[in-house]
Amino acid sequence: MDRTKIYLDNNATTIVDPHVRDAMLPFFSEMYGNPNSLHVFGTEVHPYMKIAFDHLYTGINADDGDDIIVNSCATEGNNTVIKGVYYSHILKGSKKEIITTEVEHPCVISSCKFLEELGVKVTYLPVNVDGIVDVDTLREHIDPDETALVSIMWANNETGLINPVKELAEFCREKNVLFHTDAVQAIGKVKVDVQDVPVDLLTFSAHKFHGPKGVGSLFIRRGVDIPPLLHGGEQMGGKRGGTVDTASLIGMGFAMELAVKNLHFEHTEVKRLRDKLEDAIAAIPGTNIIGKRELRTPNTILVSVKGVEGEALIWDLNKGGVAASTGSACASESLEPNPTFIAMHIDDELAHTGIRLSLSRFTIEEEIDGAIGILKKSIKRLRKISIRRK
Ligand code: C6P
């Protein structure tokens, strides 16, 4: 592992755990058969796939009768849910509306915008003063006769703020409205238990919890019927066509097992390092940490630094050997202020100054100490430059 640079962008992606990588290796050139083939090359991978599925089911406490569909990423899972519900409940059904939030990942927002162009009513719920979506706000907007789907993320990728998904899901169940949660930033950071939290649909992506990129999952509760996004063969019980990437599935299963095993570590050691970094940043005059610590995932900090452009700070930190981001990696080319900041009514000047720092179980104390020093120097330097320019 390269410790010459400090990686604090784990909400964008994580290092593949070396144990996960090693578990995947035999499935590239030794056991490479298509699992749908009837010969031994195909069938010899089945026991390994079963173990991987068992880890996925156990990891989120799904029931055997539920489906866990393996796909390419959370973007695919979220598209499957939103477009699938549009097809089955709006186009072919009698419902008219989808409810989501202003702070969802771009893959949810842009899928909803696409449906708006097709005439679907989409309501984007605001967040409250704490930056979370509360049940009262949902109650004000839901109409069980019209609302086909409520889609609210478990934890936000930019702030780390955790929504009250149990209450939201229970409320939707009571109203008989489908509830989906994007749990990409929740797996490995908080307990995700679909028996305790009655979601109908849930998405996640392996590369956010030390698994490989290019593989994710969609949980579909028993009895919930949505059509596939990718029509094809009988893979995944006809719910997602395409030959499954065996190595990635095996990696994702193992990564899930390790993520669950390491939850305690995440809430003790990772949190301790995050808090140390956060305290050091908060002590720098003109910084504003977004969201109460106790409402956030244990690894995430979103901070605005008065007088310093977020992007300039990212570049300067990068030169100093620290990798961070201004927010969602997939929105990093946008010059618009961070959408989470807009939703949280953070003023325009501050909205351009946010940076996100996200740790993982691979982050070590020396890296945090190093990052604090580099961050302080960068902020000082950039503030001086900005004063000279004025
Ligand atoms: N967020 C970030 O920097 P994919 O890339 O499809 O595996 O995951 C998409 C996705 C969906 N939902 C949430 C909440 C996410 O955080 C992400 C990925 C990264 O925040 C990359 S844009």
PDB file of all heavy atoms in Angstrom, residues 11-12 73-75 78 105 107 153 155 157 182 184-185 205 207-208 327-330 356, ligand 1:
ATOM      1  N   ASN A  11     -15.163   8.376   0.386  1.00  0.00           N
ATOM      2  CA  ASN A  11     -16.567   8.367  -0.046  1.00  0.00           C
ATOM      3  C   ASN A  11     -16.656   8.320  -1.575  1.00  0.00           C
ATOM      4  O   ASN A  11     -17.713   8.022  -2.128  1.00  0.00           O
ATOM      5  CB  ASN A  11     -17.315   9.587   0.498  1.00  0.00           C
ATOM      6  CG  ASN A  11     -17.652   9.423   1.970  1.00  0.00           C
ATOM      7  OD1 ASN A  11     -17.173   8.493   2.605  1.00  0.00           O
ATOM      8  ND2 ASN A  11     -18.466  10.305   2.510  1.00  0.00           N
ATOM      9  N   ALA A  12     -15.542   8.633  -2.257  1.00  0.00           N
ATOM     10  CA  ALA A  12     -15.526   8.507  -3.728  1.00  0.00           C
ATOM     11  C   ALA A  12     -15.274   7.049  -4.104  1.00  0.00           C
ATOM     12  O   ALA A  12     -15.962   6.483  -4.947  1.00  0.00           O
ATOM     13  CB  ALA A  12     -14.445   9.397  -4.319  1.00  0.00           C
ATOM     14  N   CYS A  73     -23.243  -1.446 -10.580  1.00  0.00           N
ATOM     15  CA  CYS A  73     -22.941  -0.342  -9.665  1.00  0.00           C
ATOM     16  C   CYS A  73     -24.242   0.196  -9.072  1.00  0.00           C
ATOM     17  O   CYS A  73     -25.336  -0.180  -9.508  1.00  0.00           O
ATOM     18  CB  CYS A  73     -22.223   0.797 -10.400  1.00  0.00           C
ATOM     19  SG  CYS A  73     -23.129   1.476 -11.794  1.00  0.00           S
ATOM     20  N   ALA A  74     -24.105   1.095  -8.121  1.00  0.00           N
ATOM     21  CA  ALA A  74     -25.300   1.683  -7.503  1.00  0.00           C
ATOM     22  C   ALA A  74     -26.059   2.560  -8.491  1.00  0.00           C
ATOM     23  O   ALA A  74     -27.285   2.678  -8.408  1.00  0.00           O
ATOM     24  CB  ALA A  74     -24.903   2.501  -6.287  1.00  0.00           C
ATOM     25  N   THR A  75     -25.347   3.159  -9.421  1.00  0.00           N
ATOM     26  CA  THR A  75     -26.022   3.966 -10.446  1.00  0.00           C
ATOM     27  C   THR A  75     -27.009   3.085 -11.199  1.00  0.00           C
ATOM     28  O   THR A  75     -28.156   3.477 -11.453  1.00  0.00           O
ATOM     29  CB  THR A  75     -24.977   4.581 -11.410  1.00  0.00           C
ATOM     30  OG1 THR A  75     -24.132   5.446 -10.650  1.00  0.00           O
ATOM     31  CG2 THR A  75     -25.629   5.346 -12.542  1.00  0.00           C
ATOM     32  N   ASN A  78     -29.974   2.229  -8.814  1.00  0.00           N
ATOM     33  CA  ASN A  78     -30.906   3.353  -8.622  1.00  0.00           C
ATOM     34  C   ASN A  78     -31.732   3.610  -9.893  1.00  0.00           C
ATOM     35  O   ASN A  78     -32.921   3.914  -9.813  1.00  0.00           O
ATOM     36  CB  ASN A  78     -30.131   4.607  -8.199  1.00  0.00           C
ATOM     37  CG  ASN A  78     -29.593   4.478  -6.770  1.00  0.00           C
ATOM     38  OD1 ASN A  78     -30.086   3.680  -5.989  1.00  0.00           O
ATOM     39  ND2 ASN A  78     -28.576   5.244  -6.446  1.00  0.00           N
ATOM     40  N   HIS A 105     -27.858  11.538  -4.638  1.00  0.00           N
ATOM     41  CA  HIS A 105     -26.748  11.438  -5.587  1.00  0.00           C
ATOM     42  C   HIS A 105     -27.251  11.803  -6.989  1.00  0.00           C
ATOM     43  O   HIS A 105     -28.416  11.544  -7.317  1.00  0.00           O
ATOM     44  CB  HIS A 105     -26.214   9.995  -5.574  1.00  0.00           C
ATOM     45  CG  HIS A 105     -24.996   9.822  -6.417  1.00  0.00           C
ATOM     46  ND1 HIS A 105     -25.061   9.450  -7.733  1.00  0.00           N
ATOM     47  CD2 HIS A 105     -23.685   9.998  -6.131  1.00  0.00           C
ATOM     48  CE1 HIS A 105     -23.825   9.386  -8.222  1.00  0.00           C
ATOM     49  NE2 HIS A 105     -22.976   9.704  -7.272  1.00  0.00           N
ATOM     50  N   CYS A 107     -27.167  10.352  -9.705  1.00  0.00           N
ATOM     51  CA  CYS A 107     -27.813   9.269 -10.485  1.00  0.00           C
ATOM     52  C   CYS A 107     -29.298   9.159 -10.146  1.00  0.00           C
ATOM     53  O   CYS A 107     -30.099   8.753 -11.001  1.00  0.00           O
ATOM     54  CB  CYS A 107     -27.088   7.931 -10.320  1.00  0.00           C
ATOM     55  SG  CYS A 107     -27.120   7.207  -8.687  1.00  0.00           S
ATOM     56  N   MET A 153     -31.999   8.626   0.451  1.00  0.00           N
ATOM     57  CA  MET A 153     -30.725   7.963   0.742  1.00  0.00           C
ATOM     58  C   MET A 153     -30.550   7.698   2.244  1.00  0.00           C
ATOM     59  O   MET A 153     -31.059   8.442   3.081  1.00  0.00           O
ATOM     60  CB  MET A 153     -29.553   8.784   0.208  1.00  0.00           C
ATOM     61  CG  MET A 153     -29.386  10.103   0.893  1.00  0.00           C
ATOM     62  SD  MET A 153     -28.407  11.377  -0.017  1.00  0.00           S
ATOM     63  CE  MET A 153     -27.258  10.524  -1.010  1.00  0.00           C
ATOM     64  N   ALA A 155     -27.495   7.504   3.903  1.00  0.00           N
ATOM     65  CA  ALA A 155     -26.517   8.494   4.399  1.00  0.00           C
ATOM     66  C   ALA A 155     -26.035   9.303   3.209  1.00  0.00           C
ATOM     67  O   ALA A 155     -25.851   8.760   2.119  1.00  0.00           O
ATOM     68  CB  ALA A 155     -25.354   7.795   5.075  1.00  0.00           C
ATOM     69  N   ASN A 157     -23.576  11.296   0.782  1.00  0.00           N
ATOM     70  CA  ASN A 157     -22.175  11.099   0.412  1.00  0.00           C
ATOM     71  C   ASN A 157     -21.310  12.324   0.666  1.00  0.00           C
ATOM     72  O   ASN A 157     -20.103  12.215   0.808  1.00  0.00           O
ATOM     73  CB  ASN A 157     -22.064  10.682  -1.062  1.00  0.00           C
ATOM     74  CG  ASN A 157     -22.847  11.565  -1.998  1.00  0.00           C
ATOM     75  OD1 ASN A 157     -23.983  11.938  -1.714  1.00  0.00           O
ATOM     76  ND2 ASN A 157     -22.246  11.924  -3.118  1.00  0.00           N
ATOM     77  N   ASP A 182     -30.992   4.498  -1.022  1.00  0.00           N
ATOM     78  CA  ASP A 182     -29.652   4.371  -1.595  1.00  0.00           C
ATOM     79  C   ASP A 182     -28.707   4.250  -0.392  1.00  0.00           C
ATOM     80  O   ASP A 182     -28.459   5.219   0.320  1.00  0.00           O
ATOM     81  CB  ASP A 182     -29.377   5.632  -2.420  1.00  0.00           C
ATOM     82  CG  ASP A 182     -27.945   5.734  -2.903  1.00  0.00           C
ATOM     83  OD1 ASP A 182     -27.085   4.996  -2.398  1.00  0.00           O
ATOM     84  OD2 ASP A 182     -27.680   6.588  -3.776  1.00  0.00           O
ATOM     85  N   VAL A 184     -25.548   3.334  -0.388  1.00  0.00           N
ATOM     86  CA  VAL A 184     -24.144   3.291  -0.807  1.00  0.00           C
ATOM     87  C   VAL A 184     -23.194   3.760   0.294  1.00  0.00           C
ATOM     88  O   VAL A 184     -22.159   3.147   0.534  1.00  0.00           O
ATOM     89  CB  VAL A 184     -23.962   4.169  -2.078  1.00  0.00           C
ATOM     90  CG1 VAL A 184     -22.505   4.453  -2.365  1.00  0.00           C
ATOM     91  CG2 VAL A 184     -24.595   3.476  -3.270  1.00  0.00           C
ATOM     92  N   GLN A 185     -23.558   4.835   0.972  1.00  0.00           N
ATOM     93  CA  GLN A 185     -22.635   5.383   1.979  1.00  0.00           C
ATOM     94  C   GLN A 185     -22.943   4.854   3.378  1.00  0.00           C
ATOM     95  O   GLN A 185     -22.388   5.349   4.360  1.00  0.00           O
ATOM     96  CB  GLN A 185     -22.692   6.924   1.959  1.00  0.00           C
ATOM     97  CG  GLN A 185     -22.292   7.540   0.638  1.00  0.00           C
ATOM     98  CD  GLN A 185     -20.793   7.420   0.315  1.00  0.00           C
ATOM     99  OE1 GLN A 185     -19.986   7.084   1.182  1.00  0.00           O
ATOM    100  NE2 GLN A 185     -20.427   7.684  -0.931  1.00  0.00           N
ATOM    101  N   SER A 205     -22.992  -0.422  -3.504  1.00  0.00           N
ATOM    102  CA  SER A 205     -21.919  -0.545  -4.476  1.00  0.00           C
ATOM    103  C   SER A 205     -20.661  -1.043  -3.762  1.00  0.00           C
ATOM    104  O   SER A 205     -20.259  -0.465  -2.746  1.00  0.00           O
ATOM    105  CB  SER A 205     -21.665   0.857  -5.054  1.00  0.00           C
ATOM    106  OG  SER A 205     -21.071   0.802  -6.299  1.00  0.00           O
ATOM    107  N   HIS A 207     -17.473  -0.928  -4.302  1.00  0.00           N
ATOM    108  CA  HIS A 207     -16.210  -0.175  -4.183  1.00  0.00           C
ATOM    109  C   HIS A 207     -16.227   0.862  -3.068  1.00  0.00           C
ATOM    110  O   HIS A 207     -15.214   1.502  -2.792  1.00  0.00           O
ATOM    111  CB  HIS A 207     -15.831   0.468  -5.520  1.00  0.00           C
ATOM    112  CG  HIS A 207     -16.667   1.618  -5.976  1.00  0.00           C
ATOM    113  ND1 HIS A 207     -16.210   2.913  -5.928  1.00  0.00           N
ATOM    114  CD2 HIS A 207     -17.918   1.684  -6.493  1.00  0.00           C
ATOM    115  CE1 HIS A 207     -17.143   3.727  -6.407  1.00  0.00           C
ATOM    116  NE2 HIS A 207     -18.192   3.000  -6.768  1.00  0.00           N
ATOM    117  N   LYS A 208     -17.386   1.020  -2.414  1.00  0.00           N
ATOM    118  CA  LYS A 208     -17.428   1.947  -1.279  1.00  0.00           C
ATOM    119  C   LYS A 208     -17.091   1.240   0.021  1.00  0.00           C
ATOM    120  O   LYS A 208     -16.975   1.866   1.057  1.00  0.00           O
ATOM    121  CB  LYS A 208     -18.816   2.580  -1.151  1.00  0.00           C
ATOM    122  CG  LYS A 208     -19.338   3.239  -2.405  1.00  0.00           C
ATOM    123  CD  LYS A 208     -18.624   4.519  -2.730  1.00  0.00           C
ATOM    124  CE  LYS A 208     -19.296   5.149  -3.941  1.00  0.00           C
ATOM    125  NZ  LYS A 208     -18.748   6.391  -4.361  1.00  0.00           N
ATOM    126  N   GLY A 327     -16.732  17.361  -3.160  1.00  0.00           N
ATOM    127  CA  GLY A 327     -18.046  16.734  -2.956  1.00  0.00           C
ATOM    128  C   GLY A 327     -18.069  15.482  -3.805  1.00  0.00           C
ATOM    129  O   GLY A 327     -17.033  14.842  -3.997  1.00  0.00           O
ATOM    130  N   SER A 328     -19.228  15.151  -4.365  1.00  0.00           N
ATOM    131  CA  SER A 328     -19.351  13.974  -5.229  1.00  0.00           C
ATOM    132  C   SER A 328     -18.269  13.962  -6.290  1.00  0.00           C
ATOM    133  O   SER A 328     -18.108  14.953  -7.010  1.00  0.00           O
ATOM    134  CB  SER A 328     -20.673  14.026  -5.995  1.00  0.00           C
ATOM    135  OG  SER A 328     -21.693  13.470  -5.265  1.00  0.00           O
ATOM    136  N   ALA A 329     -17.559  12.852  -6.453  1.00  0.00           N
ATOM    137  CA  ALA A 329     -16.522  12.768  -7.479  1.00  0.00           C
ATOM    138  C   ALA A 329     -17.118  12.995  -8.865  1.00  0.00           C
ATOM    139  O   ALA A 329     -16.503  13.638  -9.725  1.00  0.00           O
ATOM    140  CB  ALA A 329     -15.838  11.414  -7.413  1.00  0.00           C
ATOM    141  N   CYS A 330     -18.343  12.509  -9.087  1.00  0.00           N
ATOM    142  CA  CYS A 330     -18.903  12.612 -10.436  1.00  0.00           C
ATOM    143  C   CYS A 330     -19.418  14.017 -10.733  1.00  0.00           C
ATOM    144  O   CYS A 330     -19.807  14.310 -11.857  1.00  0.00           O
ATOM    145  CB  CYS A 330     -19.985  11.572 -10.656  1.00  0.00           C
ATOM    146  SG  CYS A 330     -21.291  11.683  -9.483  1.00  0.00           S
ATOM    147  N   ARG A 356     -14.546  17.916   1.140  1.00  0.00           N
ATOM    148  CA  ARG A 356     -14.955  16.704   1.846  1.00  0.00           C
ATOM    149  C   ARG A 356     -13.723  15.860   2.133  1.00  0.00           C
ATOM    150  O   ARG A 356     -12.901  15.639   1.244  1.00  0.00           O
ATOM    151  CB  ARG A 356     -15.925  15.909   0.963  1.00  0.00           C
ATOM    152  CG  ARG A 356     -16.360  14.588   1.562  1.00  0.00           C
ATOM    153  CD  ARG A 356     -17.258  13.815   0.618  1.00  0.00           C
ATOM    154  NE  ARG A 356     -16.543  13.271  -0.522  1.00  0.00           N
ATOM    155  CZ  ARG A 356     -17.120  12.550  -1.503  1.00  0.00           C
ATOM    156  NH1 ARG A 356     -18.414  12.311  -1.476  1.00  0.00           N
ATOM    157  NH2 ARG A 356     -16.402  12.079  -2.500  1.00  0.00           N
TER     158      ARG A 356
HETATM  159  N1  C6P B   1     -20.562   8.615  -4.963  1.00  0.00           N
HETATM  160  C1  C6P B   1     -18.853  10.284  -4.466  1.00  0.00           C
HETATM  161  O1  C6P B   1     -17.767  10.832  -4.689  1.00  0.00           O
HETATM  162  P1  C6P B   1     -21.522   4.103  -8.334  1.00  0.00           P
HETATM  163  O2  C6P B   1     -20.481   5.035  -8.872  1.00  0.00           O
HETATM  164  O3  C6P B   1     -22.580   3.872  -9.308  1.00  0.00           O
HETATM  165  O4  C6P B   1     -20.952   2.877  -7.761  1.00  0.00           O
HETATM  166  O5  C6P B   1     -22.164   4.853  -7.073  1.00  0.00           O
HETATM  167  C2  C6P B   1     -22.961   5.974  -7.285  1.00  0.00           C
HETATM  168  C3  C6P B   1     -23.408   6.550  -5.983  1.00  0.00           C
HETATM  169  C4  C6P B   1     -24.732   6.432  -5.629  1.00  0.00           C
HETATM  170  N2  C6P B   1     -25.186   6.887  -4.445  1.00  0.00           N
HETATM  171  C5  C6P B   1     -24.366   7.484  -3.563  1.00  0.00           C
HETATM  172  C6  C6P B   1     -24.914   7.965  -2.264  1.00  0.00           C
HETATM  173  C7  C6P B   1     -23.005   7.641  -3.860  1.00  0.00           C
HETATM  174  O6  C6P B   1     -22.200   8.218  -2.978  1.00  0.00           O
HETATM  175  C8  C6P B   1     -22.514   7.185  -5.116  1.00  0.00           C
HETATM  176  C9  C6P B   1     -21.095   7.435  -5.502  1.00  0.00           C
HETATM  177  C10 C6P B   1     -19.180   8.995  -5.189  1.00  0.00           C
HETATM  178  O7  C6P B   1     -19.638  10.706  -3.647  1.00  0.00           O
HETATM  179  C11 C6P B   1     -18.791   9.055  -6.625  1.00  0.00           C
HETATM  180  S1  C6P B   1     -19.780  10.201  -7.523  1.00  0.00           S
END
